[in-house]
């Protein structure tokens, strides 16, 4: 049998105050015993350590043997093994990511057929920029801030306003949602300069408003990636000034993010970068890739800048943050012609 010593940190010592037959270990000591048994420490080593900490020999042995023979410990041991296996898998994926010839670059392709896209990128959870994917769409020629102001200006929309006063503006989008005309919003964008204070975002759900659905006439559907008959809840419009920023997060669907007007920079990190889950709230990470702190994780970032007509495939689970380098308009889709149901992927919520 193993003779490994009990090495886990001891909890504070608490002297027993009842008769020996009634004494049990405190919850803190009980956790310490479980931790050491799972780590492979021998019963005798654990008992000896408890004795040195002032626990009577009879009580120490009785309590340790009780934990060692518990079915709960067997369940905990199985869970620990499974966690170690998954950690190894994540480490392997992280290490493999770093062997790429250009590990910080996102793959690029043009003229990508649907079958190749789904086989190479979608099924393998690999991001790719499809260069010129939307270049021939009427949207790229038409959608400008001025077009939105003049042609769509009379329509009511919802926008997020006052984001800069709230450190968690994206999570708290409802508190910043205001209704206004598209004309009013477009004029504010054109006058804003560099700002993260106002933005049309996915959660505003403006593409579900009847007047805005006419924008679908400026999209082409002959590429075979998306289902044109399934739009509600599967599309999102983004429009804002230079400087808008979407903080680091992951989504629970695959996304095709199309750059229609302006330019954007995107940071991406593989789902195997599990350190980004530390301190995460929902799907939002606790760190900012633009302003990392000394104690933040150091994932392998992939960087990409999108030009008008480009489409970025953001696979489900990939961490990403987005900065507008100019006034920018995007439309995003989740209505792929393949299964895209991953709402269960919420690692930060796991307990």
């Amino acid at each position: 049998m193993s003779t490994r010593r009990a090495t886990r940190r001891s909890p504070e010592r608490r002297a027993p105050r009842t008769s020996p037959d009634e004494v049990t270990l405190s919850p803190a000591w009980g956790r310490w015993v479980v931790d050491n048994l799972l780590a492979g420490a021998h019963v005798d080593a654990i008992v000896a350590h408890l004795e040195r900490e002032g626990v009577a020999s009879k009580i120490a042995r009785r309590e340790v043997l009780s934990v060692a023979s518990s079915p709960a410990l067997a369940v905990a041991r199985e869970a620990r093994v499974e966690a170690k296996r998954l950690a190894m898998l994540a480490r392997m994926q992280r290490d493999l990511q770093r062997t790429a010839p250009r590990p910080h670059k996102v793959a690029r392709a043009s003229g990508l057929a649907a079958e190749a896209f789904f086989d190479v990128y979608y099924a393998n959870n690999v991001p790719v920029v499809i260069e010129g994917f939307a270049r021939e769409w009427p949207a790229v020629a038409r959608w400008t801030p001025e077009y939105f102001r003049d042609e769509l200006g009379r329509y009511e929309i919802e926008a997020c306003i006052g984001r800069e006063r709230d450190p968690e503006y994206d999570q708290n989008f409802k508190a910043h949602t205001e209704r206004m005309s598209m004309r009013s919003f477009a004029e504010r964008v054109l006058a804003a300069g560099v700002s993260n204070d106002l933005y049309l975002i996915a959660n505003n759900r403006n593409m579900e408003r009847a007047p805005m659905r006419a924008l679908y006439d400026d999209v082409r559907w002959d590429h075979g990636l998306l289902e044109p008959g399934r739009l509600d809840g599967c599309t999102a419009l983004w429009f804002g000034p230079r400087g808008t920023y979407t903080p680091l997060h992951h989504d629970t669907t695959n996304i095709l993010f199309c750059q229609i007007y302006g330019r954007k920079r995107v940071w991406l990190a593989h789902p195997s970068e599990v350190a980004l889950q530390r301190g995460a709230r929902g799907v939002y990470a606790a760190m900012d890739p633009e302003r990392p702190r000394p104690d933040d994780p150091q994932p392998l970032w992939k960087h990409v800048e999108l030009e008008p007509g480009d489409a970025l495939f953001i696979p489900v689970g990939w961490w990403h943050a987005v900065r507008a380098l100019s006034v920018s308009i995007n439309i995003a889709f989740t209505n792929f012609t393949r299964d895209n149901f991953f709402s269960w992927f919420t690692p930060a919520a796991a307990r």
Side-chain angles (χ1 to χ4, degrees):
M1 295 180 64
S2 171
T3 58
R4 186 178 301 176
R5 296 179 60 190
T7 58
R8 301 300 192 190
R9 182 179 178 182
S10 303
E12 295 181 5
R13 184 185 308 177
R14 294 186 181 180
R17 298 181 181 276
T18 56
S19 67
D21 290 339
E22 297 174 344
V23 169
T24 60
L25 295 177
S26 70
W29 274 114
R31 289 177 61 88
W32 179 85
V33 170
V34 170
D35 194 27
N36 277 276
L37 287 170
L38 289 176
H42 194 279
V43 167
D44 291 342
I46 299 173
V47 170
H49 185 91
L50 290 172
E51 290 172 345
R52 288 194 297 273
E53 293 292 329
V55 180
S57 177
K58 178 181 178 181
I59 296 171
R61 185 162 295 276
R62 183 192 70 208
E63 292 294 294
V64 173
L65 289 175
S66 176
V67 174
S69 61
S70 168
L73 184 71
V75 172
R77 184 171 284 117
E78 291 175 1
R80 186 173 186 270
V81 169
E82 184 68 14
K84 290 179 70 174
R85 289 170 177 164
L86 293 174
M88 288 180 186
L89 175 61
R91 178 181 175 182
M92 179 183 68
Q93 291 177 326
R94 291 195 302 274
D95 289 351
L96 287 173
Q97 287 275 313
R98 287 160 172 77
T99 67
R102 297 186 300 170
H104 297 288
K105 299 293 185 180
V106 176
R108 288 181 170 268
S110 58
L112 188 61
E115 183 178 0
F117 167 76
F118 286 115
D119 285 352
V120 177
Y121 301 103
Y122 197 92
N124 290 300
N125 198 236
V126 175
V128 62
V129 175
I130 309 177
E131 296 177 330
F133 177 79
R135 190 173 296 147
E136 304 304 319
W137 292 5
V140 173
R142 290 179 184 158
W143 295 7
T144 65
E146 294 79 9
Y147 178 82
F148 279 16
R149 179 193 64 196
D150 299 338
E151 299 300 322
L152 307 175
R154 65 187 183 277
Y155 301 132
E156 183 183 72
I157 59 164
E158 287 191 354
C160 284
I161 307 294
R163 289 156 47 100
E164 290 182 341
R165 65 175 181 266
D166 183 355
E168 297 185 345
Y169 53 84
D170 220 47
Q171 297 96 315
N172 299 331
F173 73 93
K174 289 183 179 179
H176 304 290
T177 298
E178 295 185 16
R179 292 188 177 185
M180 64 186 66
S181 69
M182 178 64 89
R183 175 178 295 278
S184 175
F185 182 76
E187 288 175 344
R188 293 175 71 165
V189 168
L190 289 167
V194 180
S195 175
N196 189 33
D197 205 48
L198 63 159
Y199 205 7
L200 297 191
I201 65 172
N203 279 320
N204 293 140
R205 306 180 77 88
N206 284 301
M207 290 303 291
E208 296 181 20
R209 296 174 175 271
M212 303 297 290
R213 294 176 67 86
L215 291 175
Y216 291 132
D217 294 339
D218 295 334
V219 174
R220 293 292 176 260
W221 306 98
D222 55 359
H223 39 70
L225 271 59
L226 307 170
E227 293 185 6
R230 186 163 54 89
L231 297 173
D232 283 351
C234 296
T235 61
L237 183 68
W238 304 78
F239 174 31
R242 176 185 175 191
T244 53
Y245 184 65
T246 301
L248 187 65
H249 69 289
H250 71 80
D251 288 292
T252 57
T253 59
N254 294 285
I255 297 171
L256 192 66
F257 188 71
C258 301
Q259 189 73 37
I260 304 300
Y261 179 89
R263 298 168 52 244
K264 278 187 171 171
R265 177 182 296 129
V266 185
W267 292 257
L268 298 110
H270 194 277
S272 65
E273 300 285 0
V274 292
L276 290 173
Q277 296 289 353
R278 297 172 192 159
R281 296 182 59 187
V283 299
Y284 289 90
M287 73 165 294
D288 180 351
E290 287 190 329
R291 299 175 181 83
R293 297 162 299 196
D295 57 343
D296 279 339
Q298 297 182 345
L300 173 66
W301 294 113
K302 289 183 178 293
H303 309 281
V304 65
E305 292 190 6
L306 300 177
E307 303 286 343
D310 288 342
L312 172 62
F313 171 59
I314 305 175
V316 60
W318 275 71
W319 297 95
H320 55 286
V322 186
R323 172 74 74 182
L325 304 178
S326 67
V327 175
S328 192
I329 301 172
N330 301 80
I331 188 168
F333 302 91
T334 61
N335 54 328
F336 290 97
T337 58
R338 298 293 190 277
D339 179 56
N340 197 16
F341 183 80
F342 301 94
S343 60
W344 50 264
F345 186 77
T346 54
R351 295 290 183 271

